[in-house]
Structure formats: C-alpha cells, structure tokens
Amino acid sequence: MTFQRNLRNILVGGIAFAVTVFMFSGCSSQKSKIGNEDEAEQVYVPPGKHDTFYSFMSGGWTGNVSVYGIPSGRHLYTIPVFSADPTDGYGYTEETKDMLNTSYGWIPWGDTHHVQLSKSNGLYDGRWLFVNDRNGHRIARIDLKTFRTDEILEIPNTAGNHASPFCSSNTEYISAMTEYSIPLPKPLGNGVDVPIASYKKNFRAVQTMVKVDPQNGHMKVAFQIIVPPFDYDLGRFGLGMSKDWVFYTCYNSEEAHSLLEVNASQKDKDFVLAINWKKAV
C-alpha cells in the first residue's frame, strides 16, 4: 500500500510556511499481493465443487454438531443432536422426540464438547460420529451416510460426561468418564445422601465402557469401573503397543470440595489414569 502524508512546518516568528510531502512505501509489495492472491485461490472452492474434507465441530451449549468444509471453511450443515430444532422438527416428530427423553424427563438441550469418528485398525473410517453431552451425561451416534442423529444413550452414575466419547482402535468400545465425583447409588455405593465434608470418604468417580455393535453401531453400557474421586478431563485409547489401554487426564487430585480455584490447585502435578480395558472385559 502506498500513501501520502502532508507535513506543515510552521516557522516560529515568521509568516512563511513550507509544505513538505513525504512519500512512504507501504509494507506490501506487488509480489506479496500476488502471494496473497495465490493463498486465497488455494482455499477457494467454486460453486458446484466439493471440499476435500469435512470438519466436525461440537457446538457447546447449542447441543449440536456443526459441519464445515475444508479448505473453503464454509459452513455446510448443522446436525441437531441433543437440542430440539423446530426448523426441521427434530425433537418434535414421532421419529425423534423420544430420543431426547431421559431418566430425568424430556431434556431438549445439551452441551456438546467432544466429537469422535469411528475407527477401523486405528484409522478413521467415516461410518459414524460420536459426540458427548456434558450436561445430560449422554452419548449420541450420528450416521455419516445421512448426517442424522441415529441414537442417544444415557450414561448412568455420572455427573458431567466430559472425558467422552473416545473410541477404541476398531470401535469395539467407547469410553466415557464422569468429570465430577458423586456419592454413588446402590449397588455401586451406599445410596444415601452424605455431607459434602465427607468427600474423600464417600464420593467416587465412574468410568464407563460402552459396547458398539460393529454392524449397526447400536450402543449399550457394557460395564463401569469405580475410580478415585478426582475430576477427569480428557481421555484417549492407546494405539499400537498400547491399544489395550485407555488413558485419562485429571485435576483435583487434592480431592477438594470447596474453594476449588485454590484448593484444587495445590499440587504441582496431577495424575494420568490408565485402565487396561481388555483385562476389564
């Protein structure tokens, strides 16, 4: 860019003035302009042409999943998942309204955080997309042939389904871990209300393994494992030599229950929880 600047020098004590014109050369040259145009062309996808990739993004409190094209960056579609969508009847039609029913009643909204593609031999295979609901401790399965939500599964004994849903190498299982520890109901716990001050003694977290049917993707809770009362954040199945393991990060290994901004950050490091799911099966 080229621009001009006029600088008027006023001579103190005189009546004359001079106007000096300075020419400045901007930071972008013709070469950089051409370079920028080339970069724009590389991500431009003309009408009628398809993007190379799909990008699936969780929608947070919208409760849905957004689909974008790569490299164009165009918003292609929003998939209704945990939130009723009156624009296309999702959650209201006979085919979809029961999908939003839970053990707590009809919950027509959610909080999606993580999406996970199904896998074969450790590689994404494009059959299904799984997404979690942090609010309603649910997992949904989206059929990538139709870009429609096919199934929603509620995870029991869970408070904040955040470290979820992560797939094993061949999508045999999906892992889900509660973020917050709770007093567990029977038969996992004593099933009674307890004071928050007894957090270390009476609160526990639960890791859930969800079995996935290899033919139709149908999900069901296979088993649950009681783990220490930390707050769990993210998880991943291993690959290669570690494919029989699933790993989770955590915070609040202090097992604090008040003033968490202070009391849950006393330790310099927290833990990684590792579970050999093959042995658990």
Side-chain angles (χ1 to χ4, degrees):
M1 180 177 65
T2 302
F3 65 96
Q4 292 182 330
R5 177 178 295 171
N6 293 331
L7 178 63
R8 174 171 294 179
N9 294 322
I10 300 176
L11 303 180
V12 179
I15 61 174
F17 65 87
V19 177
T20 305
V21 179
F22 293 92
M23 300 295 296
F24 293 91
S25 177
C27 58
S28 60
S29 63
Q30 186 66 22
K31 181 178 180 181
S32 64
K33 285 184 179 179
I34 295 174
N36 290 338
E37 291 173 358
D38 289 344
E39 292 171 2
E41 290 176 355
Q42 290 176 13
V43 299
Y44 175 68
V45 179
K49 299 297 182 179
H50 295 165
D51 279 285
T52 306
F53 300 100
Y54 290 122
S55 176
F56 298 94
M57 300 185 181
S58 60
W61 288 343
T62 70
N64 300 320
V65 169
S66 295
V67 187
Y68 288 83
I70 301 296
S72 73
R74 294 180 297 194
H75 175 237
L76 301 177
Y77 188 55
T78 294
I79 305 173
V81 184
F82 298 110
S83 294
D85 186 357
T87 59
D88 64 2
Y90 180 82
Y92 299 101
T93 64
E94 295 300 322
E95 296 81 10
T96 61
K97 64 182 181 181
D98 286 343
M99 296 180 68
L100 301 181
N101 279 328
T102 73
S103 59
Y104 301 95
W106 195 63
I107 301 182
W109 64 278
D111 181 14
T112 56
H113 276 232
H114 306 125
V115 293
Q116 175 82 102
L117 288 163
S118 57
K119 300 175 185 176
S120 294
N121 297 318
L123 301 175
Y124 297 137
D125 58 26
R127 292 177 296 165
W128 306 301
L129 181 76
F130 302 94
V131 61
N132 68 322
D133 173 20
R134 184 173 178 266
N135 167 68
H137 39 270
R138 295 174 285 183
I139 294 175
R141 178 177 54 83
I142 297 168
D143 190 334
L144 292 183
K145 289 182 179 179
T146 61
F147 279 41
R148 295 290 188 270
T149 301
D150 265 6
E151 183 182 15
I152 295 177
L153 176 69
E154 184 177 355
I155 307 297
N157 307 312
T158 297
N161 177 37
H162 190 260
S164 166
F166 304 107
C167 296
S168 58
S169 295
N170 289 292
T171 321
E172 306 99 328
Y173 287 94
I174 296 171
S175 69
M177 176 73 84
T178 183
E179 181 170 8
Y180 307 113
S181 298
I182 56 175
L184 295 176
K186 292 181 179 179
L188 298 180
N190 55 25
V192 298
D193 289 337
V194 294
I196 188 68
S198 67
Y199 183 92
K200 292 185 179 182
K201 177 182 178 182
N202 292 315
F203 285 60
R204 291 293 181 271
V206 170
Q207 187 261 0
T208 302
M209 294 292 282
V210 175
K211 181 67 176 175
V212 180
D213 188 294
Q215 301 303 318
N216 56 30
H218 176 68
M219 302 179 295
K220 65 178 181 180
V221 174
F223 60 89
Q224 295 185 304
I225 299 174
I226 299 175
V227 295
F230 308 148
D231 293 353
Y232 295 89
D233 188 32
L234 290 173
R236 278 291 188 275
F237 278 87
L239 295 172
M241 295 178 62
S242 63
K243 63 182 174 56
D244 295 347
W245 293 81
V246 59
F247 305 91
Y248 298 94
T249 61
C250 78
Y251 61 100
N252 192 24
S253 57
E254 296 86 352
E255 301 178 32
H257 63 273
S258 64
L259 298 175
L260 296 183
E261 293 84 355
V262 176
N263 295 329
S265 59
Q266 295 297 304
K267 295 182 179 179
D268 181 56
K269 296 180 177 64
D270 288 300
F271 301 114
V272 169
L273 174 68
I275 297 175
N276 190 311
W277 62 272
K278 278 289 185 70
K279 290 186 176 180
V281 170

